């Protein structure tokens, strides 16, 4: 058995299926004990990366390491890694107890009975030991799959879309449950998902993957507040992207011209130095105020908007504001009572703090990473 | 989540409304043609056979047989043909074991490794059925003949002595049985292996099973329904087979089937033929019940 602890590292990992490059020269370090999410749309290479860590797929080039041990050439059954499969892959001919005890028995662990029993208690299924998997609900099967992998105390636990088959309410519940279990056991979790909300809820660190490469890696707040690419800006939450031109510098900020209006963006949040750029602002960072109502000293302002749509959604009101250059911007306003409710056709200014916008490369596709309805399940 | 722990959920009884029960009534009607067929062509002949087995054995084809409830026919049949019974079950058993050990790897390869050749290989398994059973068995006479390639090859590598032969030996009869019943073994095996989710095998590997252990603990148990139906479909007809012994063996290799056939068609000794048939049927049924119980297939998903 290889060394069982340490960081999980991918060094220059490439995986090709024929001509298709699923994973392209991937370098990645997952710190020991972290809850790490690989987030991306289907076909981005996240599951392939996970399967290479499990040993179910062999990389075309590169190395996989745990700590200092190279596990690239190890067969799956010799790796200190366990997987929670997307379809759970529970053994239908074995009872819940035998499913969970499977790995312990194969390794000849003496007190497998007690360990299995304890693990069933941890996932709150101790009354179900004698049942068969088909006699359990989806959520229960999911917990059996988790217990079956966790009971082996692997160095790294791999989770392949573990909550994908559950309904929304159960998924929320399991997200909290998974997070609690990870904190309890302290094992490194690598969680593959296409659900950005799920990744942000659970993970300490998220790597956003697209077309076989990592677009950006960081804490959920970093990725959300300061995305580096249009893909990340759109895939995590929603963004307004406006075409702008960098015209100069003022202290720690870049000055940009946005359809004739001057805007400042903090340099640390600007991922271009000069020329054309996408100015990005999250909808909830924008405030829409009736034209000429207030003094906006120190804030960025875009004037000349006209409310074209109002949707009341309880905690907030979502506005679409048509700008003079034809683009419609989204504004989410919390219903705290501090904002004046706006009506269809009102003329408004859009206001935000300079620390809330970001500047992205204009060559990138403004629609990259946007959810199409069939992706968003 | 805590509230449900340990409390098995109770499935509500399905409510049957008038509509469904009426539809169910129609469903039973669909069984009528099949049931009629079974009654006329299976139930009636079986009852007839039981009666025939109890006729007075001193009768003959010319004078006719009288119904005397002569249960002694059974004792006579077993006493006079005991070796034939033993030989039949032995040949059929050996043939079944060989079929299983050849058919399993074949079915496994078709299910998991054949890729785009899958359908082609399945057609090859079924292909023998396109020729007559009799013709295929006859051609084995040529293959196994004393001057044939198989015999001379085995003589060359000294597996067979120089005057040794294959035709007219138990080897030839068992080889014929294996060949003829192979598809009946392979197809059910393939059907159940093909249903095995490959991800389960991956999961076994992920949980510290070497490929061999994974096969023993996951793949094989999941293919057990195929093993059971394959062995039954091979063993049962092989027990009653007489063509292979007739064409590839000599009277020394004859099986119960040969005796039944002769008693019915040559000697016209109907009471003997009928009691032999019924004994064979009863013993096979008993063996199958015992086997299925042991294999515990009703437990399998």
């Amino acid at each position: 058995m290889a060394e069982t602890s340490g960081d999980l590292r991918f060094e220059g990992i490439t995986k090709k299926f024929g001509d298709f490059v699923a994973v392209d020269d991937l370098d990645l370090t997952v710190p020991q004990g972290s809850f790490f999410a690989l987030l991306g749309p289907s076909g981005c290479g996240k599951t392939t990366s996970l399967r290479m860590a499990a040993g179910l797929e062999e990389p075309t080039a590169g190395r996989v390491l745990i700590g200092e041990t190279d596990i690239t050439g190890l067969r799956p059954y010799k790796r200190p890694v366990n997987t929670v499969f997307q379809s759970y892959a529970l053994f239908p001919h074995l009872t819940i107890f035998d499913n969970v005890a499977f790995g312990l028995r194969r390794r000849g662990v003496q007190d497998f009975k007690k360990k299995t029993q304890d693990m069933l208690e941890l996932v709150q299924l101790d009354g179900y030991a004698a049942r068969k998997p088909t006699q359990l609900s989806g959520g229960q099967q999911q917990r059996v799959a988790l217990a079956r992998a966790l009971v082996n105390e692997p160095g790294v636990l791999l989770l392949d879309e573990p909550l994908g088959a559950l309904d929304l309410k159960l998924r929320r519940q399991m997200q909290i449950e998974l997070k609690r279990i990870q904190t309890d056991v302290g094992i490194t979790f690598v969680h593959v998902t296409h659900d950005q909300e799920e990744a942000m809820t659970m993970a300490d660190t998220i790597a956003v993957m697209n077309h076989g490469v990592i677009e950006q890696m960081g804490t959920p707040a970093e990725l959300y507040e300061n995305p580096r690419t249009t893909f990340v800006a759109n895939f995590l939450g929603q963004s307004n992207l406006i075409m702008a031109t960098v015209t100069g510098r003022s202290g720690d900020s870049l000055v940009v011209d946005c359809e004739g209006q001057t805007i400042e963006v903090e340099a640390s949040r600007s991922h271009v130095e000069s020329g054309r750029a996408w100015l990005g602002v999250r909808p909830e960072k924008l405030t829409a105020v009736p034209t000429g109502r207030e003094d906006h000293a120190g804030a960025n302002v875009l004037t000349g908007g006209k409310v074209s749509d109002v949707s009341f959604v309880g905690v907030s009101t979502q506005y679409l504001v048509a700008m003079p250059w034809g683009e419609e911007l989204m504004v989410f306003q919390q219903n705290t009572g501090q904002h004046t409710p706006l009506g269809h056709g009102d003329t408004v200014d859009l206001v935000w703090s300079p620390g809330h916008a970001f500047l992205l490369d204009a060559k990138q596709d403004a629609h990259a990473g946007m959810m199409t309805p069939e992706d968003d399940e | 989540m805590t509230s449900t722990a340990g409390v098995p959920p109770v499935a509500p009884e399905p409510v049957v409304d008038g509509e469904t029960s009426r539809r169910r009534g129609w469903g039973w009607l669909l069984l009528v043609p099949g049931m009629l067929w079974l009654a006329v062509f299976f139930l009636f002949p079986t009852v007839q056979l039981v009666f025939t087995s109890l006729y007075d054995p001193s009768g003959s084809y010319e004078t006719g047989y009288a119904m005397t409830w002569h249960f002694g026919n059974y004792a006579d049949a077993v006493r006079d043909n005991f070796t034939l019974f033993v030989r039949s079950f032995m040949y059929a058993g050996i043939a079944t074991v060989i079929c299983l050990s050849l058919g399993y790897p074949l079915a496994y390869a078709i299910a998991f490794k054949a890729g785009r050749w899958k359908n082609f290989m399945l057609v090859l398994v079924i292909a023998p059925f396109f020729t007559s059973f009799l013709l295929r068995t006859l051609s084995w006479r040529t293959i196994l003949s004393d001057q044939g390639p198989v015999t001379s090859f085995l003589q060359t590598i000294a597996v067979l002595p120089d005057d040794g032969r294959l035709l007219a030996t138990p080897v030839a009869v068992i080889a014929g049985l294996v060949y003829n019943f192979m598809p009946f073994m392979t197809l059910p095996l393939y059907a159940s292996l093909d249903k095995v989710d490959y991800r389960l095998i991956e999961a076994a590997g992920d949980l510290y099973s070497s490929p061999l252990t994974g096969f023993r603990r996951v793949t094989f148990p999941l293919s057990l329904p195929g093993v059971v139906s394959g062995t039954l479909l091979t063993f049962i007809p092989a027990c009653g087979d007489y063509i292979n012994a007739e064409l590839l063996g000599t009277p020394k290799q004859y099986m119960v089937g040969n005796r039944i056939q002769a008693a019915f068609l040559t000697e016209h000794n109907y009471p003997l033929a009928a009691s032999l048939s019924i004994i064979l049927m009863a013993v096979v049924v008993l063996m199958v019940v015992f086997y299925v119980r042991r294999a515990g297939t009703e437990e399998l998903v």
Side-chain angles (χ1 to χ4, degrees):
Chain A
M1 182 76 43
E3 190 184 347
T4 55
S5 61
D7 299 349
L8 170 69
R9 283 192 292 154
F10 281 36
E11 288 185 353
I13 288 284
T14 298
K15 176 69 187 177
K16 291 181 188 167
F17 295 104
D19 288 338
F20 177 70
V21 182
V23 177
D24 193 1
D25 195 20
L26 178 71
D27 287 301
L28 179 65
T29 300
V30 179
Q32 184 177 2
S34 65
F35 200 131
F36 191 93
L38 268 178
L39 174 67
S42 48
C44 74
K46 58 190 193 301
T47 295
T48 309
S49 306
L50 192 83
R51 288 173 62 84
M52 286 191 285
L56 299 170
E57 218 73 73
E58 216 177 306
T60 314
R63 300 202 302 159
V64 184
L65 299 100
I66 290 184
E68 289 310 309
T69 320
D70 187 342
I71 60 166
T72 319
L74 281 186
R75 302 288 299 271
Y77 64 98
K78 291 194 170 151
R79 294 187 183 208
V81 163
N82 290 105
T83 310
V84 177
F85 291 87
Q86 183 171 16
S87 53
Y88 314 142
L90 300 179
F91 303 123
H93 59 299
L94 299 178
T95 62
I96 299 311
F97 182 91
D98 289 334
N99 263 283
V100 176
F102 194 90
L104 295 175
R105 284 212 175 106
R106 297 292 85 73
R107 288 187 302 157
V109 175
Q110 287 303 314
D111 59 341
F112 70 89
K113 276 192 182 140
K114 180 164 187 324
K115 284 193 166 169
T116 304
Q117 211 54 54
D118 290 350
M119 187 48 69
L120 284 174
E121 263 166 51
L122 180 72
V123 297
Q124 293 160 352
L125 283 173
D126 31 332
Y128 295 81
R131 304 245 192 134
K132 290 285 177 68
T134 45
Q135 296 168 295
L136 266 54
S137 71
Q140 290 167 336
Q141 291 186 25
Q142 207 286 325
R143 280 183 278 154
V144 175
L146 181 67
R148 186 178 69 172
L150 264 185
V151 76
N152 302 293
E153 294 164 24
V156 180
L157 184 77
L158 306 172
L159 303 110
D160 184 7
E161 303 263 7
L163 310 179
L166 305 180
D167 62 50
L168 194 64
K169 203 175 151 213
L170 205 51
R171 216 185 301 172
R172 292 269 183 282
Q173 227 170 11
M174 282 305 298
Q175 287 172 5
I176 298 164
E177 194 82 344
L178 268 179
K179 184 71 195 160
R180 173 182 73 82
I181 290 171
Q182 198 271 336
T183 317
D184 281 359
V185 296
I187 289 172
T188 315
F189 276 35
V190 181
H191 178 198
V192 155
T193 180
H194 68 269
D195 182 340
Q196 45 100 12
E197 199 181 315
E198 189 174 299
M200 290 205 279
T201 313
M202 291 196 281
D204 312 323
T205 311
I206 300 176
V208 181
M209 271 190 98
N210 190 28
H211 297 306
V213 295
I214 291 182
E215 292 256 340
Q216 192 177 351
M217 199 167 103
T219 65
E222 273 168 31
L223 294 184
Y224 187 80
E225 300 297 349
N226 190 4
R228 281 171 197 284
T229 64
T230 55
F231 180 84
V232 177
N234 289 323
F235 196 74
L236 271 86
Q238 288 167 295
S239 295
N240 293 305
L241 295 176
I242 309 155
M243 189 46 85
T245 312
V246 180
T247 52
R249 223 171 213 287
S250 138
D252 283 341
S253 298
L254 288 185
V255 180
V256 296
D257 173 85
C258 185
E259 307 287 343
Q261 310 191 40
T262 306
I263 302 291
E264 285 190 11
V265 184
E266 279 183 12
S268 63
R269 305 167 61 83
S270 303
H271 306 292
V272 281
E273 295 293 316
S274 58
R276 307 279 281 166
W278 290 114
L279 171 71
V281 198
R282 297 283 186 186
E284 76 280 7
K285 301 292 194 302
L286 290 174
T287 313
V289 286
T291 307
R293 183 73 63 85
E294 285 169 47
D295 178 32
H296 307 301
N300 284 319
V301 187
L302 282 176
T303 56
K306 196 170 189 185
V307 176
S308 59
D309 188 68
V310 182
S311 342
F312 179 75
V313 285
V315 291
S316 65
T317 305
Q318 307 190 351
Y319 298 103
L320 279 181
V321 178
M323 299 311 285
W325 55 91
E327 190 177 356
E328 279 191 321
L329 300 181
M330 280 178 294
V331 180
F332 297 169
Q333 220 137 277
Q334 290 289 310
N335 291 331
T336 52
Q338 290 171 353
H339 305 289
T340 327
L342 300 168
H344 191 272
D346 289 0
T347 51
V348 291
D349 295 340
L350 298 181
V351 185
W352 72 93
S353 136
H356 279 159
F358 46 86
L359 216 52
L360 304 173
D361 189 349
K363 287 195 284 294
Q364 293 171 356
D365 178 9
H367 298 287
M370 281 201 184
M371 290 279 196
T372 53
E374 58 267 29
D375 287 336
D376 190 24
E377 344 159 47
Chain B
M1 217 169 285
T2 41
S3 61
T4 58
V7 183
V10 180
E13 284 292 314
V15 185
V16 182
D17 57 19
E19 176 99 7
T20 342
S21 53
R22 241 192 334 273
R23 256 194 241 137
R24 252 183 221 161
W26 281 106
W28 284 108
L29 263 184
L30 293 175
L31 284 176
V32 168
M35 289 302 209
L36 269 177
W37 177 275
L38 277 178
V40 174
F41 295 105
F42 174 73
L43 202 60
F44 176 73
T46 309
V47 172
Q48 179 67 40
L49 196 69
V50 171
F51 281 127
T52 310
S53 73
L54 298 172
Y55 284 165
D56 180 5
S58 57
S60 73
Y61 185 51
E62 287 77 20
T63 60
Y65 291 98
M67 181 54 169
T68 55
W69 301 98
H70 196 279
F71 284 96
N73 282 342
Y74 286 95
D76 294 342
V78 174
R79 193 188 59 235
D80 296 342
N81 301 287
F82 190 70
T83 46
L84 282 182
F85 275 109
V86 173
R87 191 183 292 141
S88 293
F89 294 130
M90 213 170 69
Y91 283 7
I94 294 172
T96 306
V97 170
I98 297 175
C99 272
L100 181 64
S101 49
L102 294 177
Y104 202 99
L106 177 61
Y108 188 92
I110 298 175
F112 291 119
K113 310 283 176 195
R116 59 205 185 89
W117 296 101
K118 200 181 231 181
N119 288 334
F120 179 69
M121 287 180 76
L122 279 176
V123 169
L124 286 189
V125 170
I126 304 162
F129 287 132
F130 294 127
T131 348
S132 123
F133 180 73
L134 215 57
L135 207 65
R136 283 182 281 134
T137 311
L138 274 171
S139 64
W140 272 76
R141 285 173 80 144
T142 322
I143 297 171
L144 298 178
S145 65
D146 292 347
Q147 275 74 45
V150 179
T151 311
S152 22
F153 174 71
L154 291 178
Q155 281 166 349
T156 315
I157 62 167
V159 169
L160 267 183
D162 284 344
D163 59 344
R165 56 188 313 211
L166 288 173
L167 201 61
T169 66
V171 174
V173 179
I174 293 171
L177 287 172
V178 167
Y179 165 74
N180 278 312
F181 292 108
M182 192 62 138
F184 297 102
M185 178 65 88
T186 312
L187 291 178
L189 279 176
Y190 163 76
S192 68
L193 281 168
D194 195 48
K195 269 197 306 190
V196 174
D197 189 343
Y198 192 73
R199 287 169 296 193
L200 294 178
I201 301 173
E202 286 189 342
D206 187 65
L207 293 164
Y208 312 105
S209 300
S210 64
L212 197 67
T213 316
F215 174 77
R216 213 159 49 88
R217 296 286 174 185
V218 177
T219 318
F220 186 74
L222 288 175
S223 69
L224 261 186
V227 173
V228 170
S229 48
T231 45
L232 290 182
L233 284 176
T234 309
F235 183 77
I236 297 172
C239 280
D241 183 80
Y242 66 95
I243 298 286
N244 286 284
E246 173 86 40
L247 297 181
L248 303 172
T250 66
K252 278 190 203 158
Q253 283 82 40
Y254 273 7
M255 298 166 72
V256 159
N258 300 84
R259 189 75 194 92
I260 296 174
Q261 186 245 5
F264 259 126
L265 301 179
T266 321
E267 301 159 19
H268 302 294
N269 187 350
Y270 296 137
L272 172 67
S275 34
L276 282 172
S277 304
I278 288 185
I279 294 167
L280 179 65
M281 219 183 321
V283 174
V284 168
V285 167
L286 281 178
M287 286 169 120
V288 166
V289 168
F290 178 72
Y291 173 64
V292 172
R293 282 267 175 94
R294 278 295 300 278
T297 33
E298 65 274 11
E299 281 274 308
L300 290 167
V301 188

